[in-house]
Amino acid sequence: CSAIDACETSNGGCSAKAECRRTTPGNRVCVCNAGYTGDGIVCIEINPCLENNGGCDRNAECTQTGPNQAACNCLKGYSGDGKRCTYISLCSQNNGGCSEFAICNDTELTERTCTCKDNYIGDGFKCRGNIFQELLRDSNTSRFYFHLEALSIRDIAGPGPFTLFVPRTDILNSDPRVKNWIARGVMAQVLRYHMVGCASLMYNDLTTINNVTSLHGDLIYINYSQNSLVLNNKAEVILSDAVGTNGVIHVINQILVP
């Protein structure tokens, strides 16, 4: 007589995911393979994600990849290896895309707010200071700023409101009269003729009036026709409505002479 191998046929009646182990002649036990659980007759794949999120961080997604195997991936708004995930502050890089003159605040995942700092105005993505500061930040108007600084003219750094007509930088650089005005000591008068006090006049406001009085004291005459705004029948407004905290800047293509 020979001992009966209970595992010889059909894996001994064990699950295909189990090992059939002979015990005594004619008997056997069924043991589920690694990664499976059950009584050996029935073996079910273990999903590690069902317990303790599969060992993943609480801010990670656990994805079953095989029997008792899982991958951990940090959720959106977090970074790490999945076992440990750290919140990504949108404001920590490049001020969250906000203006350099704005405060960035994280609100919720993938969200943040941008708020202009005190003494600046704007939507948070673009913030403007007073018009004296804004002159320097724009290449079209920076030359005008340097002329003001050279002569210590800081009228438009005050509370305002002001309206400023600024000859474009290339105009100021190329007009030969500028050097002559500086030599004669009249450049300050020319610069103040481009400033209007007590009013922040937008482009649309200017189209409805005939003249304004400059800080120099002389009138600036305004003519609007065929969608063109011209000062003193000579200088056209080519860029308009650069609003600051204390007024507005308009760029013109000629120098105004009192």
Side-chain angles (χ1 to χ4, degrees):
C1 295
S2 59
I4 296 173
D5 183 354
C7 294
E8 186 175 16
T9 305
S10 299
N11 199 29
C14 300
S15 166
K17 303 297 184 182
E19 178 187 0
C20 181
R21 297 177 183 174
R22 293 169 59 190
T23 52
T24 57
N27 294 307
R28 54 92 177 101
V29 293
C30 300
V31 181
C32 291
N33 294 335
Y36 293 84
T37 184
D39 60 5
I41 305 299
V42 177
C43 294
I44 300 173
E45 189 173 289
I46 296 172
N47 182 354
C49 295
L50 298 178
E51 184 176 346
N52 195 32
N53 200 31
C56 301
D57 189 273
R58 63 189 182 93
N59 293 307
E61 180 182 20
C62 179
T63 305
Q64 185 183 5
T65 57
N68 203 27
Q69 296 178 330
C72 301
N73 295 291
C74 294
L75 299 174
K76 187 176 182 180
Y78 293 85
S79 66
D81 60 5
K83 296 291 186 181
R84 183 177 181 181
C85 299
T86 305
Y87 174 64
I88 301 172
S89 168
L90 291 179
C91 296
S92 66
Q93 297 181 347
N94 195 32
N95 201 30
C98 304
S99 165
E100 61 180 309
F101 303 112
I103 297 171
C104 179
N105 285 308
D106 290 292
T107 53
E108 54 185 84
L109 294 184
T110 71
E111 296 293 334
R112 53 89 178 90
T113 60
C114 301
T115 307
C116 291
K117 295 177 181 178
D118 290 343
N119 300 318
Y120 288 88
I121 59 171
D123 60 5
F125 297 98
K126 188 171 185 179
C127 299
R128 291 180 169 274
N130 65 48
I131 56 176
F132 188 67
Q133 295 169 308
E134 292 306 311
L135 286 173
L136 183 59
R137 294 176 59 193
D138 187 339
S139 61
N140 285 311
T141 58
S142 58
R143 189 61 185 163
F144 193 86
Y145 170 89
F146 291 127
H147 280 297
L148 294 177
E149 277 286 86
L151 295 169
S152 299
I153 299 174
R154 303 188 65 87
D155 306 55
I156 57 173
F162 300 101
T163 301
L164 200 57
F165 300 107
V166 181
R168 199 172 58 204
T169 288
D170 62 311
I171 303 298
L172 282 171
N173 285 339
S174 61
D175 194 318
R177 296 175 298 173
V178 172
K179 288 184 178 180
N180 179 260
W181 290 330
I182 294 173
R184 290 168 48 206
V186 297
M187 189 62 182
Q189 298 174 40
V190 174
L191 294 174
R192 285 195 172 95
Y193 186 51
H194 293 78
M195 307 173 188
V196 176
C198 303
S200 181
L201 300 169
M202 304 294 283
Y203 188 94
N204 285 341
D205 299 324
L206 295 170
T207 64
T208 63
I209 56 180
N210 296 321
N211 59 71
V212 289
T213 302
S214 71
L215 292 187
H216 174 258
D218 288 351
L219 292 177
I220 300 172
Y221 296 95
I222 303 170
N223 180 53
Y224 178 71
S225 65
Q226 297 180 336
N227 295 321
S228 178
L229 191 65
V230 178
L231 309 180
N232 291 352
N233 294 317
K234 181 179 181 182
E236 183 179 1
V237 175
I238 51 177
L239 295 170
S240 62
D241 296 348
V243 178
T245 56
N246 65 340
V248 60
I249 299 169
H250 305 286
V251 179
I252 55 179
N253 64 357
Q254 295 289 333
I255 300 175
L256 301 177
V257 181

